[in-house]
Amino acid sequence: MSMYYSTHNVPKHSFGGKADGLIFLSGNGFRVPPFYIIPNDILQQIISEEYTVASLCAKWINDVQPDKNSLWAVRSSADVEDGKNKSYAGLFSTEINCRPHELVDAFQKVIAGYKQVLKDIPEYHDANYFGFHIVLQQMISGEISGVGFSVNPLEQVSEHPIITIIPGLGIKLVSGEENAMMIDLSMPPKILSDEKEYCGELFDQANGYTKTVETQDTLFEKIRSHLKELRQSLQAIDQLKGHPVDTEFTIYNNKIYWLQVRPITTLIPRGDYNVLDNSNMDVNYPGIVMPLTISFVQHSYSNAYIHMCRFLGAGTSFIEKNHSLFKNTIRAVKGNMYYNVTSYQQLLYQMPFGNKTSRLFPKMLGAEEASFQKPSQSASFIAYIRLFLHLIRSIVFIGYYKRKYTEQYTRIQEQFDNTSLKGQSHTALIHYFKTLENELSTYWYVPILNSLFTMVIYNRLTKILSRSRLHEHYPNFLNDSLMGSGQVVSMEIVRTLQELTRSIHENSDVKKVILEKEDHQVLPYLKEHHKDFFDAIMSYIHTYGERSDEGELKIETVNYREDPTKFVAFLRSNVSVSQHHITAKNKFNYLTVLKEIYKTNTLKRFLFKTTIAFTIKRVRDRENFRFIRTKTFDMVRQIFREIDSALLKSGSIINEGDSLYLHFEELMNPASWSTQYKELIATRKVAYKGYQDVEHPIRYHEVHNELYPISEKPSMSKNGLDGVACSSGITQGEVLLVTAQNIHELEITGKILVAPFFEPGWVGLFSRAEGIISERGSLLSHTSILCREMGIPAIIGAKKCTKNLRNGDIIKMNGATGAIEKIQHS
């Protein structure tokens, strides 16, 4: 047999990962530097000393006649490298920039590396025989080198390839010694890394290795003209291979040379997929969520979106075709709740402006971007026009619909408050629930439409403002405009609470009772000895008692109205610290700014004024609708509490609260399910016991009914702290890490509060905080709206901040830019 094979005469069988990749690239027309393969059979004869490396190199030099100053790489190509399921890149040896007379030594080093692997790694030493080959390839002294992925390896289902590049050779990039520029090859391409300079190495015969540095702008300009070819080539390689690929390339004399291709080692198969994400779910449904809550939320979300689509003119055919999407907007994974982002996106895609709104949806949740397959079904042209006209009508008359919704809610709440549920049968309670649901559903579409309008106009206005003259002087102009908009119910809750705690603080006797007596003793004592304070506390609970310092939209949550002693504990945590009146730390008048910037352009000033005013109303209504949702949900909770009592009385369940382990449909259809209640509860109790210690990622990809956890993208900031600008203001202070377990035990006043997320029930914290930093959340979230309303500097989306900051650290934060600077370690 031949001692080596050239690029053009390689037999059709495997020569290991690297060699097979080069053969594939060359055979499919991709530009590859000349290469030669020394097969395993020859190498084994060299190892057994039947041949020598010197004789091999002498024959190759005699046949090929390479230039004596040409440069070559000697690389291993083992059968166990670069496989579809595993990659052992870097395990074997590689020698680069070798001139022909240096090849004997280079071959001997690579062969010695192979022997060492067999010696040191038992799974190879003891395993069946595997082939070991060597690739001899001409070196290209590239001006830019990079690694290209046909899909984003962090997402797996990204529509766009991505590349990472550095100036010069790719050695430092592959080894990870130098930071690389990451580019998303979308249209237009996006730079995903934020370094201002990128370092690499050049090599020439005279000077050897020399360092080279390029600015971000210069490096991107050099690669710009090649981006289209890189994108098309990566997609073509992916399609030819039939799986995601990881490639290496270099650019020399304005030409792209492909150096390597291997599979992206992933367990996620190709196929239709769903993206499940809980980035913003923990706000209302933190931690383990019971089956009854999950199934009820699935039911109510499905009904709400169907009602909205019907209001917008979508016919029965549209509803039926999208039945599975409506039913799967919420998913459960081992006791945790997730948004099925894909279902939302596929529904939105079929609506007017759907191409943009479907892609905006993850951002609305405060989640990372999510790709999705376009739905196979779509609205007809006539249906689309009908949807469009109804949508325009809704925007024009949203104020009218809001009034009808709130009037109906008020009427239903009054009726509910005057209805006694005690002692009613399971059947009677089901009937009452269905009647209540039918009445509520008449205008359910209003808060959903308001959220849709808010999302679209907020993001559109943000883009317009970023290109306007306002941006230079007021980079956070839209968020600043939302400061202190007024008439937000959450602010009324904070003010009422603050007034209550202030009055208690001023009465030493009442304060002593709250601080020193047991929770269950406080209210009875106040009722007898301080009736006015008792009445004030009970008035607060009556008005706002649906709130809680834990997931207030869980059916299993016991809120302040159900257990006033929980509010006593919360009140104690506020009374036990220093008091100060809530005042906005920052104030902003957007009308004054518009007059200042657009003194002569009255049309632009009018358009901005009108649009911002509309946005302020939508954001404010969004927050107020949340509170109505909380109160509406509590009506449902009370009904389910009574159903649980009825089931316990009839013997259908064994313990109080067992019904929480049942599904909504099972409770609503006792004729079909009641005989199975005890068995279902017992089975789910065992399952839920196993869920307690499960760590859930923020995102899963579901492919072929299998779930694959997706790692969260790392923070792109250099210090790993910076987040998204939310509420303007620069402040400096001490870090305090907040959790649901410690909120009653902390001295919060004047500190910068840091948490994965802030629950709605934590509003009492905000008035005492110097600043707020959250790992999650969106710019339209409860935390964002409340911080802007109170003028508190706030940053959201500061990934890993709870891991990178510690209690007692002194930091400086800028709510207008999202910058966080650590001043002093604790």
Side-chain angles (χ1 to χ4, degrees):
M1 65 177 296
S2 299
M3 294 185 73
Y4 65 88
Y5 301 108
S6 68
T7 308
H8 307 294
N9 71 342
V10 181
K12 292 186 177 180
H13 59 77
S14 177
F15 290 95
K18 289 190 182 74
D20 290 349
L22 291 171
I23 293 167
F24 164 83
L25 289 167
S26 178
N28 283 283
F30 295 93
R31 188 180 295 108
V32 176
F35 66 90
Y36 302 85
I37 298 171
I38 295 83
N40 180 73
D41 290 351
I42 296 299
L43 294 174
Q44 294 301 327
Q45 291 181 57
I46 289 174
I47 291 170
S48 65
E49 299 183 352
E50 295 179 45
Y51 287 136
T52 64
V53 171
S55 61
L56 167 67
C57 294
K59 175 171 176 50
W60 178 80
I61 290 171
N62 183 66
D63 294 343
V64 175
Q65 297 291 314
D67 185 284
K68 66 178 182 179
N69 290 318
S70 59
L71 297 174
W72 298 83
V74 181
R75 307 158 68 195
S76 64
S77 182
D79 293 344
V80 295
E81 285 188 285
D82 300 335
K84 190 171 183 179
N85 297 317
K86 291 183 179 179
S87 174
Y88 294 96
L91 193 60
F92 299 89
S93 301
T94 294
E95 297 293 322
I96 61 172
N97 289 320
C98 305
R99 286 171 289 198
H101 72 272
E102 299 170 328
L103 289 178
V104 172
D105 184 54
F107 269 95
Q108 288 174 338
K109 288 179 180 179
V110 174
I111 292 171
Y114 161 67
K115 292 179 180 179
Q116 195 65 38
V117 167
L118 287 181
K119 178 181 177 182
D120 294 344
I121 303 182
E123 67 177 284
Y124 296 149
H125 184 68
D126 300 332
N128 293 329
Y129 167 88
F130 68 87
F132 176 77
H133 319 270
I134 286 181
V135 173
L136 175 62
Q137 187 172 25
Q138 187 169 0
M139 292 287 296
I140 301 291
S141 296
E143 293 121 20
I144 298 174
S145 297
V147 174
F149 303 92
S150 63
V151 300
N152 188 329
L154 293 177
E155 293 183 2
Q156 307 298 340
V157 293
S158 169
E159 293 180 0
H160 311 302
I162 67 168
I163 60 172
T164 58
I165 59 170
I166 63 173
L169 304 175
I171 307 163
K172 300 288 187 179
L173 186 157
V174 175
S175 68
E177 293 178 56
E178 295 288 356
N179 291 326
M181 176 188 284
M182 181 180 290
I183 304 173
D184 182 335
L185 298 183
S186 52
M187 298 296 285
K190 294 182 290 188
I191 300 174
L192 302 179
S193 47
D194 63 353
E195 284 84 357
K196 299 304 179 185
E197 291 185 338
Y198 297 90
C199 303
E201 286 185 329
L202 298 173
F203 183 86
D204 60 48
Q205 297 279 4
N207 302 310
Y209 291 102
T210 57
K211 186 174 181 179
T212 180
V213 179
E214 298 278 7
T215 65
Q216 184 184 86
D217 292 341
T218 303
L219 185 59
F220 184 73
E221 197 56 41
K222 285 185 176 181
I223 194 77
R224 185 195 295 273
S225 61
H226 301 284
L227 295 179
K228 181 178 180 181
E229 182 183 347
L230 285 167
R231 173 188 172 92
Q232 292 174 343
S233 296
L234 285 166
Q235 289 175 331
I237 295 169
D238 182 305
Q239 188 172 3
L240 288 166
K241 281 286 190 181
H243 55 71
V245 293
D246 164 1
T247 67
E248 293 178 25
F249 64 87
T250 192
I251 297 175
Y252 176 70
N253 278 345
N254 214 32
K255 293 179 180 179
I256 299 172
Y257 289 85
W258 297 90
L259 308 177
Q260 193 167 334
V261 60
R262 52 183 168 253
I264 294 178
T265 50
T266 174
L267 297 177
I268 302 181
R270 282 282 170 89
D272 291 345
Y273 57 87
N274 288 311
V275 174
L276 310 183
D277 195 290
N278 73 350
S279 293
N280 206 29
M281 190 65 80
D282 277 347
V283 173
N284 293 307
Y285 305 98
I288 296 294
V289 186
M290 299 301 284
L292 182 55
T293 297
I294 295 171
S295 55
F296 172 69
V297 173
Q298 289 170 329
H299 165 81
S300 58
Y301 273 47
S302 173
N303 278 2
Y305 291 119
I306 287 173
H307 274 87
M308 183 194 73
C309 288
R310 283 181 176 153
F311 170 76
L312 291 176
T316 303
S317 174
F318 179 88
I319 303 297
E320 289 177 350
K321 285 191 295 185
N322 290 284
H323 178 78
S324 64
L325 297 181
F326 285 116
K327 294 295 181 184
N328 285 285
T329 53
I330 299 295
R331 294 286 297 279
V333 180
K334 294 184 178 179
N336 274 44
M337 278 177 58
Y338 283 77
Y339 290 107
N340 186 342
V341 177
T342 304
S343 288
Y344 282 101
Q345 290 179 302
Q346 291 181 334
L347 283 170
L348 285 169
Y349 187 80
Q350 300 174 67
M351 299 287 180
F353 316 110
N355 188 38
K356 290 187 177 180
T357 55
S358 58
R359 297 181 184 280
L360 277 176
F361 180 75
K363 187 175 182 179
M364 178 184 175
L365 295 180
E368 295 173 356
E369 290 183 1
S371 302
F372 66 99
Q373 307 98 326
K374 307 301 183 290
S376 55
Q377 66 279 356
S378 61
S380 66
F381 177 75
I382 294 175
Y384 187 88
I385 295 299
R386 187 167 61 244
L387 285 167
F388 177 79
L389 294 176
H390 280 265
L391 199 60
I392 296 300
R393 179 198 66 180
S394 302
I395 294 173
V396 175
F397 293 104
I398 187 66
Y400 168 78
Y401 298 127
K402 168 196 167 185
R403 187 168 66 253
K404 298 294 288 185
Y405 170 69
T406 53
E407 287 174 353
Q408 188 204 43
Y409 158 73
T410 302
R411 178 178 56 80
I412 292 171
Q413 182 71 63
E414 289 175 355
Q415 290 176 351
F416 183 85
D417 290 342
N418 293 316
T419 301
S420 176
L421 302 176
K422 295 293 183 183
Q424 292 194 33
S425 68
H426 187 184
T427 302
L429 290 165
I430 290 171
H431 177 73
Y432 184 76
F433 170 83
K434 289 182 177 178
T435 302
L436 182 69
E437 183 180 48
N438 287 334
E439 292 179 353
L440 287 169
S441 64
T442 306
Y443 291 102
W444 270 4
Y445 60 84
V446 176
I448 298 175
L449 278 176
N450 183 77
S451 289
L452 179 64
F453 297 154
T454 306
M455 172 184 71
V456 173
I457 194 168
Y458 181 92
N459 283 279
R460 184 59 187 159
L461 190 53
T462 299
K463 285 187 177 180
I464 292 171
L465 289 169
S466 69
R467 298 192 293 265
S468 72
R469 278 192 285 160
L470 286 161
H471 186 72
E472 182 180 350
H473 302 286
Y474 303 95
N476 203 29
F477 180 78
L478 183 55
N479 286 325
D480 291 343
S481 300
L482 296 171
M483 281 184 171
S485 61
Q487 300 177 29
V488 175
V489 68
S490 296
M491 281 297 295
E492 293 305 313
I493 297 173
V494 174
R495 288 193 181 99
T496 304
L497 175 65
Q498 194 170 44
E499 180 61 27
L500 180 60
T501 55
R502 184 194 60 76
S503 63
I504 293 172
H505 214 273
E506 292 174 354
N507 189 309
S508 58
D509 292 339
V510 173
K511 181 178 179 181
K512 184 176 181 181
V513 169
I514 291 175
L515 293 178
E516 295 181 2
K517 286 191 177 294
E518 297 292 330
D519 291 347
H520 67 278
Q521 297 174 326
V522 171
L523 290 176
Y525 186 90
L526 291 178
K527 185 176 182 180
E528 184 176 351
H529 298 94
H530 300 277
K531 186 68 163 50
D532 52 340
F533 281 93
F534 172 81
D535 289 342
I537 291 171
M538 296 310 294
S539 174
Y540 181 95
I541 292 173
H542 174 74
T543 309
Y544 304 119
E546 296 82 7
R547 304 227 101 155
S548 175
D549 52 21
E550 53 190 82
E552 58 187 38
L553 294 186
K554 289 180 174 183
I555 294 171
E556 57 269 27
T557 293
V558 177
N559 58 30
Y560 298 146
R561 184 188 54 75
E562 291 182 293
D563 183 2
T565 61
K566 291 170 67 74
F567 181 68
V568 170
F570 178 66
L571 197 57
R572 181 182 297 114
S573 69
N574 284 271
V575 171
S576 63
V577 297
S578 57
Q579 303 291 299
H580 64 271
H581 188 69
I582 176 173
T583 54
K585 294 179 174 60
N586 301 285
K587 294 182 180 180
F588 186 81
N589 189 321
Y590 72 92
L591 295 175
T592 302
V593 172
L594 287 174
K595 287 180 182 179
E596 171 194 328
I597 300 297
Y598 298 108
K599 293 179 181 177
T600 58
N601 194 333
T602 54
L603 177 59
K604 183 163 282 190
R605 189 167 72 236
F606 171 78
L607 291 174
F608 275 136
K609 175 184 173 182
T610 304
T611 310
I612 291 169
F614 182 80
T615 305
I616 290 172
K617 289 179 182 178
R618 299 288 68 78
V619 173
R620 181 181 63 215
D621 288 347
R622 177 180 166 87
E623 180 66 7
N624 291 341
F625 287 155
R626 281 194 182 110
F627 184 63
I628 292 178
R629 179 185 63 179
T630 298
K631 295 181 78 69
T632 302
F633 197 90
D634 188 60
M635 295 186 217
V636 174
R637 179 189 285 115
Q638 292 182 57
I639 294 173
F640 283 130
R641 289 280 194 271
E642 292 306 318
I643 288 178
D644 187 81
S645 296
L647 292 177
L648 185 63
K649 185 177 179 180
S650 68
S652 297
I653 62 176
I654 299 173
N655 301 302
E656 181 182 350
D658 276 359
S659 65
L660 293 169
Y661 288 93
L662 297 173
H663 290 166
F664 171 78
E665 297 78 8
E666 294 163 358
L667 275 183
M668 291 295 106
N669 296 284
S672 302
W673 292 98
S674 61
T675 58
Q676 302 176 53
Y677 282 172
K678 291 178 181 177
E679 181 183 351
L680 291 169
I681 290 166
T683 301
R684 288 171 188 157
K685 280 186 175 181
V686 172
Y688 265 68
K689 190 174 181 180
Y691 298 161
Q692 297 301 318
D693 298 323
V694 174
E695 290 190 16
H696 292 270
I698 289 176
R699 177 169 288 188
Y700 284 103
H701 284 161
E702 182 185 45
V703 185
H704 304 319
N705 297 317
E706 293 289 333
L707 293 174
Y708 301 91
I710 301 300
S711 300
E712 186 178 15
K713 290 180 180 177
S715 171
M716 298 304 293
S717 65
K718 285 185 177 180
N719 62 7
L721 292 174
D722 299 347
V724 178
C726 173
S727 180
S728 290
I730 300 173
T731 190
Q732 182 173 314
E734 181 182 333
V735 166
L736 187 62
L737 300 177
V738 181
T739 68
Q741 290 72 40
N742 69 8
I743 58 171
H744 294 316
E745 306 165 2
L746 301 174
E747 171 54 77
I748 290 164
T749 304
K751 295 181 181 177
I752 296 175
L753 308 186
V754 179
F757 56 88
F758 288 83
E759 294 187 28
W762 296 2
V763 293
L765 307 176
F766 287 42
S767 64
R768 293 182 272 139
E770 184 66 25
I772 298 289
I773 300 175
S774 175
E775 283 188 333
R776 305 189 204 172
S778 73
L779 289 169
L780 298 175
S781 67
H782 168 81
T783 298
S784 300
I785 292 171
L786 193 55
C787 284
R788 288 192 293 259
E789 195 66 25
M790 298 173 72
I792 299 171
I795 295 170
I796 62 167
K799 296 180 180 179
K800 310 293 185 185
C801 64
T802 58
K803 293 181 175 61
N804 294 333
L805 293 173
R806 294 185 297 175
N807 284 324
D809 285 347
I810 305 299
I811 63 171
K812 183 178 181 180
M813 61 176 290
N814 186 334
T817 64
I820 302 169
E821 180 185 355
K822 192 178 291 188
I823 305 297
Q824 180 181 323
H825 295 278
S826 61

